[in-house]
């Protein structure tokens, strides 16, 4: 199991909420950041997730694929985010 999904499971985040989070990530990364903060995940677990993502960004792709979502949307969202930051 993907370690990000595993941490979410250990934090009692339902499969539906996990899918909602990664769906938000594929559509709007900023929305996903706001959403994860409302999930009641312990700060140390949230920090652990962020550390995993920063040291191994490929885990996002693996999690998206494990959940059956479209990773190409993540790439498109990253480009939108970059464009927004460069304005």
């Amino acid at each position: 199991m993907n370690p990000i999904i595993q941490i979410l499971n250990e934090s009692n985040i339902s499969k539906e909420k996990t899918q909602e989070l990664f769906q938000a990530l594929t559509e709007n990364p900023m929305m996903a950041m706001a959403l994860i903060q409302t999930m009641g995940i312990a700060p140390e677990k949230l920090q652990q997730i962020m550390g995993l993502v920063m040291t191994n960004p490929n885990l996002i792709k693996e999690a998206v694929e494990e959940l059956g979502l479209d990773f190409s949307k993540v790439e498109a969202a990253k480009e939108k985010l970059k464009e927004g930051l460069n304005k």
Side-chain angles (χ1 to χ4, degrees):
M1 176 182 283
N2 180 282
I4 298 170
I5 295 173
Q6 185 174 352
I7 292 169
L8 293 173
N9 285 345
E10 290 169 0
S11 299
N12 295 318
I13 304 301
S14 69
K15 183 176 180 179
E16 293 78 19
K17 284 289 187 187
T18 299
Q19 286 184 309
E20 182 183 338
L21 174 64
F22 280 94
Q23 184 67 41
L25 180 64
T26 66
E27 295 170 2
N28 182 340
M30 297 306 282
M31 185 173 75
M33 291 302 293
L35 180 61
I36 199 168
Q37 292 176 351
T38 67
M39 294 180 143
I41 299 170
E44 63 275 6
K45 292 290 185 178
L46 197 53
Q47 188 174 16
Q48 189 178 4
I49 291 170
M50 297 309 287
L52 284 169
V53 169
M54 293 179 84
T55 58
N56 190 356
N58 200 42
L59 287 174
I60 293 174
K61 179 180 181 184
E62 292 172 13
V64 167
E65 289 172 350
E66 187 173 321
L67 294 168
L69 301 172
D70 183 359
F71 186 72
S72 67
K73 290 183 180 180
V74 173
E75 292 298 322
K78 273 191 344 190
E79 287 305 313
K80 263 196 250 182
L81 183 61
K82 283 181 188 175
E83 289 171 13
L85 293 175
N86 290 330
K87 288 184 180 180

